[in-house]
Structure formats: structure tokens, C-alpha cells
Amino acid sequence: MTLQEWLPDLRDRLSRVPSDDTMRDIRILAAHAMGVSPSRMTLHMHDELSDDMVNHISLLMDARMLCTPVSKIIQKRSFWGREFAVDLDVLDPRPDTETLIAAALDLGAQSRVLDLGTGTGIIGLTLAAEWPNAEVVCTDISEKALAVAKHNKNALGVADKVTLLKSDWFEAVNGQFDLILSNPPYIALDEWDDLDFEVRTFDPRLALTDEADGLSAYRTLTQHAGLHLKTDGHLMVEIGHTQGSAVQALFNSAGFIQIKCLPDMAGRDRVVKGVWSTQ
């Protein structure tokens, strides 16, 4: 049997799973099982599948039928042109976070960078790869998340300039930085039930919600960042699309200047940034 011959049945099996693109899901899962690039799957649609390959693809499809996200099934996600390992212990990286990376890169290369709540490491490790001379510290309260970040920093070849640190926000952080970034848990508790089933079930709750109003992390970040920022250093955070005004107000109250809210590709508020001034 070939994948082309099997396709109608696979589409039928996944037809009840909410997805933006069922055919893309099939292509990625089949490519993963077959050890080929998803972009080259059209060249392999008529390859004869061995019994082992059929069983492997079936297992992946069974996982998808349970609404397991494709990235959590294949345990990897592309972000800013690089591949990152993901599992059930870390937040699945989203394209929205690339807005935060773009904002950081617009500053030009920074010498010392702090990524708080790093998860997979996508923010700190991406900047370490983009800025070869930068010293980057990535923190997380979860040892399991730090294990994933360690794998990713080794895979990306930036291990020599990235320090991973277990810390509850700034608790174990020492020194000052040119740039502090974070994508903290910003889902309010009363928004929890409205999240997609895949998000609620397969991303760690600790990385999604503060179990309160969604602003707890921003209060901590803005109140304590100044102790760890050089004069004229920057704080940048990802936000929920309704939180722009509230987070900007927290930046202002903490003494930041040049505060701006930046939109994502869909035009929604996504990043708040500000400059630390001791004046």
C-alpha cells in the first residue's frame, strides 16, 4: 500500500479532529514516520509502505485522533527558522512569539540577555544564535522545562554562551543585563475554560495561567526588572491581545520610559517594551 492509496482513509480518520489543515497534519506525521521532509512528501506519495511503516503512521494518527497537537506527537517545532524539541513539559512555541524576537533584533546585538520563564528556550536560544557574541541567561522554575532547554541549546550549538538557571522569576538571578525578555503565563483564570482543548490539555498549566487576573507576572517583572537592567536597558514581554493598556500602565508605574505596544502579524497587541531609566 502507498500513502496515496491510504489517503482517503487517513483523511476520514482525522475528519473529527479540529484542525486548521488536516492534510498538513497528515503530511507532517507521515513525513516524520518515513524520515523525510514534509516539503518533499509529494515525491514519496507512491512509495510502497512496509508493514512497520504502516504501523508507525497508524500510531501517530491515533495520537492525533486524541487531539494531541502535531508538534507534541513528533516532539519538535520550527521557530524563527530553527527546530526546537518540545514535549508535554513545555509550552508549545507559537508564531506570535516571533513578534518578541523581531522587536529584540531591532535593537541590534545586545551583550547580556536574560530570558525569564524560558520553557523550550526559544527566546533566549534564538537570540544567542542570532547574536554570536551575546551572553544569555535563561531561567525557569521547572526543572523539566530546563531539561528541554538544555537539549535545545546543545542541538543549536550555543551551549558555550547560554546559562540555564532554575529560578522563580528573579529569585536566583544575579548581575545586570542589557535586555530582559519574557513570555509569561498571561491567561486569566476566568478565561481558562475558553482555551482550545489542545492548549488546556497538552501545554503545562503553569506556563499558561497565573490562576488570577493574568497580570501577576507582569507586576513582578516590572517591579523587579530595574534591579537587573543597566541604565537604558530594555524590558520586553509578550502579552495577551487584550492586555496592552494594562501592561503599559505597569511599565509606566515602575519607572520605564519610551513604552510601546507592538502588534503581531494579525495586527493584535502582542509585545510591550520599555527602557529603564534611573533619572
Side-chain angles (χ1 to χ4, degrees), residues 66-189:
L66 296 174
C67 292
T68 310
V70 171
S71 60
K72 295 293 175 83
I73 297 173
I74 66 174
Q75 297 197 316
K76 59 185 178 182
R77 164 74 78 171
S78 294
F79 181 87
W80 205 263
R82 299 177 178 88
E83 259 189 12
F84 289 80
V86 300
D87 63 18
L88 296 176
D89 295 314
V90 292
L91 188 70
D92 189 358
R94 271 103 173 149
D96 291 338
T97 305
E98 294 196 346
T99 306
L100 188 59
I101 297 297
L105 293 177
D106 280 346
L107 297 177
Q110 303 292 295
S111 297
R112 297 202 76 220
V113 178
L114 174 63
D115 173 18
L116 294 166
T118 196
T120 57
I122 59 163
I123 296 170
L125 299 184
T126 295
L127 293 177
E130 294 289 330
W131 293 333
N133 296 318
E135 175 190 346
V136 179
V137 177
C138 298
T139 77
D140 206 289
I141 196 172
S142 166
E143 290 185 355
K144 291 181 178 180
L146 288 172
V148 176
K150 181 179 180 179
H151 173 92
N152 285 326
K153 81 166 184 173
N154 291 333
L156 292 175
V158 296
D160 60 335
K161 58 181 180 175
V162 175
T163 300
L164 300 179
L165 183 65
K166 184 179 180 182
S167 182
D168 184 1
W169 299 122
F170 294 99
E171 182 182 53
V173 173
N174 294 307
Q176 290 186 307
F177 299 84
D178 302 287
L179 173 62
I180 298 176
L181 310 99
S182 184
N183 177 17
Y186 56 70
I187 303 299
L189 184 58

Side-chain angles (χ1 to χ4, degrees), residues 40 229 246:
R40 298 182 63 82
L229 277 171

Side-chain angles (χ1 to χ4, degrees), residues 239-250 259 261 269-272:
I239 63 169
H241 67 90
T242 64
Q243 297 173 317
S245 295
V247 175
Q248 287 180 90
L250 290 172
I259 302 164
C261 188
D269 288 351
R270 187 58 59 192
V271 168
V272 172

Side-chain angles (χ1 to χ4, degrees), residues 222 225-227 229-234 254-257 274-278:
T222 54
L227 297 174
L229 277 171
K230 298 175 183 178
T231 300
D232 297 328
H234 288 76
F256 285 87
I257 61 173
V275 175
W276 180 246
S277 174
T278 55

